Amino acid sequence: MADYEFTVTVRTQYLPEQSDPDRANYVFAYAITIKNTGHVTAQLISRHWVITDGNNRVEEVRGLGVVGHQPLLQPGEQFEYTSGTALATPQGSMSGEYFCVAEDGKQFDVKIEEFVLSLPRTLH
C-alpha cells in the first residue's frame, strides 16, 4: 500500500425526471466514494473532470473541492457525495482527477478512471 493513495468508486444513474430528450438534454447523477487507502492523512483540494458526450464533444470542469467540501481524510476514512451532469446525447463518459495534499505537505493526484453515463437498456 502506498503512503499517498485515495481509492475512488463511482455509481451512475440516469435521471429521466430532470431530462428532456426532445431538447437533447439527458441528465445523469453520479455518486462517488473517495477512500483514503494510504498511510498518511490527506485533503482533497480540487477536481478536474473531462466530460465527453456521444458526439465526442468534450467539456472540462475544474474547481475547488467537491460539492462545496475539501474533505480531510485520515487513513481508512472515506467521503461520499453525489453530483450530476447533463449531456446532449443519451450516452457519454467522464474521467478526471482529484488534486490532494497530504498533512506532510506532499502533493499528489488521484486519477478517476473513465466511467460511462448511459440510459438504461430497454427491451422491446
Side-chain angles (χ1 to χ4, degrees):
M1 180 180 353
D3 285 342
Y4 310 98
E5 184 174 70
F6 281 8
T7 301
V8 178
T9 55
V10 182
R11 292 185 323 279
T12 63
Q13 181 182 359
Y14 174 61
L15 301 177
E17 68 280 359
Q18 294 182 29
S19 299
D20 188 351
D22 293 338
R23 294 203 159 111
N25 187 43
Y26 300 87
V27 179
F28 297 89
Y30 51 92
I32 297 200
T33 303
I34 306 159
K35 184 172 185 177
N36 185 343
T37 50
H39 293 292
V40 179
T41 299
Q43 184 171 21
L44 188 156
I45 302 298
S46 63
R47 69 191 182 286
H48 171 221
W49 287 112
V50 178
I51 306 164
T52 307
D53 72 12
N55 296 324
N56 284 325
R57 199 177 76 233
V58 174
E59 177 187 0
E60 292 198 47
V61 178
R62 296 175 189 272
L64 288 176
V66 288
V67 295
H69 297 276
Q70 291 180 316
L72 178 66
L73 300 175
Q74 302 201 24
E77 283 188 329
Q78 65 184 34
F79 180 80
E80 297 179 36
Y81 73 95
T82 301
S83 190
T85 192
L87 299 177
T89 59
Q91 68 275 331
S93 66
M94 288 178 65
S95 62
E97 60 199 2
Y98 296 129
F99 171 71
C100 303
V101 176
E103 65 182 355
D104 62 8
K106 175 155 172 68
Q107 301 176 358
F108 63 101
D109 292 318
V110 177
K111 185 168 174 42
I112 305 158
E113 297 296 331
E114 183 177 48
F115 57 92
V116 173
L117 303 167
S118 180
L119 267 61
R121 297 262 182 244
T122 53
L123 297 174
H124 295 285

